[in-house]
């Protein structure tokens, strides 16, 4: 019982760190570091901030998802796979936060809610079995790649720094999807995919503004 309570406390703390952290360091170099900042008008800057706020919220969700799945599985290899992916997602979290600071904006106040929802989904998918858990990772990352592609099209041509960050994130997410597939992911039922897409739409449409 003590172990369970300790784990809940650890996850609660991790959720707060992911949701409200203002850290700007990462294990890998910040993709936008060497990209010159171009002048943008107020509308362009606000739009970039909205997009990066959505991306930041998405990375909060990713942290929660992988941690939930990691707790639910007894497979050591899968735990290591999820840990590695989570570390890369942590880099994304810091990059998005740094870019938001550069744009003089802030992360979403709804992040704790997204963390809780995603953590629960991670635990449930993990309890369903390793192949389904990997299938959940693969489908999540595929949807994220599409979402990032739309951001590359939507961000101002003057905001080359945000574009550079999004491109690197897209590359990493695509890799995560391929790794999950190669590890034996089962394809999720269409109803589950549609449900995931609906949750993602709610998250993106609200986090853009608040």
């Amino acid at each position: 019982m003590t172990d369970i309570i300790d784990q809940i406390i650890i996850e609660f703390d991790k959720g707060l760190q992911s949701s409200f952290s203002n850290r700007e360091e990462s294990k890998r170099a910040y993709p936008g570091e060497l990209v010159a900042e171009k002048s943008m008008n107020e509308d362009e800057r606000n739009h970039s901030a909205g997009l990066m706020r959505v991306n930041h919220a998405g990375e909060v969700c990713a942290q929660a998802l992988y941690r939930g799945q990691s707790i639910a599985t007894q497979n050591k290899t899968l735990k290591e796979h999820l840990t590695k992916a989570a570390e890369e997602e942590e880099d994304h979290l810091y990059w998005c936060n740094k870019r938001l600071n550069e744009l003089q904006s802030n992360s979403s106040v709804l992040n704790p809610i997204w963390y809780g929802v995603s953590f629960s989904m991670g635990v449930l998918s993990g309890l369903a079995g390793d192949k389904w858990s990997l299938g959940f990772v693969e489908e999540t990352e595929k949807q994220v790649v599409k979402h990032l592609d739309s951001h590359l099209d939507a961000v101002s041509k003057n905001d080359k720094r945000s574009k550079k960050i999004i491109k690197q994130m897209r590359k990493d997410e695509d890799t995560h999807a391929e790794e999950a597939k190669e590890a034996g992911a089962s394809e999720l039922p269409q109803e589950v995919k549609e449900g995931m897409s609906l949750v993602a739409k709610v998250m993106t449409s609200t986090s853009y503004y608040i």
Side-chain angles (χ1 to χ4, degrees), residues 2-155:
T2 302
D3 289 343
I4 295 176
I5 294 175
D6 287 345
Q7 191 64 58
I8 291 174
I9 293 173
I10 289 171
E11 294 308 324
F12 180 75
D13 180 63
K14 183 64 178 179
L16 290 177
Q17 289 181 31
S18 297
S19 299
F20 298 116
S21 174
N22 286 320
R23 293 169 61 189
E24 295 179 7
E25 70 273 17
S26 60
K27 291 186 177 180
R28 291 178 292 167
Y30 177 52
E33 195 68 54
L34 301 178
V35 181
E37 190 81 84
K38 286 195 171 186
S39 177
M40 291 187 286
N41 61 42
E42 186 177 359
D43 287 342
E44 289 175 320
R45 183 174 292 276
N46 288 340
H47 187 47
S48 287
L51 295 177
M52 295 309 294
R53 185 160 40 251
V54 168
N55 290 332
H56 184 275
E59 298 308 325
V60 169
C61 292
Q63 287 290 307
L65 175 66
Y66 287 131
R67 290 187 70 82
Q69 290 175 304
S70 180
I71 287 174
T73 184
Q74 300 300 314
N75 186 316
K76 183 179 179 180
T77 300
L78 180 55
K79 278 183 181 291
E80 292 174 351
H81 170 84
L82 293 168
T83 299
K84 176 177 177 292
E87 287 176 353
E88 292 186 352
E89 299 290 356
E90 212 166 61
D91 283 345
H92 297 175
L93 188 70
Y94 300 152
W95 296 345
C96 289
N97 187 76
K98 183 175 178 66
R99 186 57 182 148
L100 281 168
N101 286 340
E102 291 173 346
L103 293 166
Q104 300 180 341
S105 191
N106 53 275
S107 58
S108 174
V109 298
L110 300 175
N111 280 343
I113 295 175
W114 306 136
Y115 190 95
V117 171
S118 298
F119 183 80
S120 299
M121 292 173 70
V123 171
L124 290 174
S125 67
L127 292 175
D130 292 343
K131 289 185 178 296
W132 292 112
S133 184
L134 285 166
F136 200 84
V137 171
E138 182 185 13
E139 180 59 28
T140 297
E141 300 294 18
K142 283 182 176 179
Q143 292 191 15
V144 170
V145 166
K146 291 180 181 179
H147 154 79
L148 292 175
D149 281 340
S150 70
H151 279 201
L152 285 172
D153 292 335
V155 72

Side-chain angles (χ1 to χ4, degrees), residues 152-169:
L152 285 172
D153 292 335
V155 72
S156 168
K157 63 181 181 180
N158 292 322
D159 192 359
K160 296 186 182 298
R161 184 168 286 197
S162 292
K163 280 183 177 290
K164 184 72 172 180
I165 297 167
I166 294 170
K167 284 180 179 179
Q168 183 58 54
M169 290 170 58

Side-chain angles (χ1 to χ4, degrees), residues 121 136 139 143 188-198:
M121 292 173 70
F136 200 84
E139 180 59 28
Q143 292 191 15
L188 300 181
Q190 187 60 34
E191 294 81 4
V192 175
K193 292 181 182 180
E194 292 174 356
M196 293 168 63
S197 180
L198 179 60

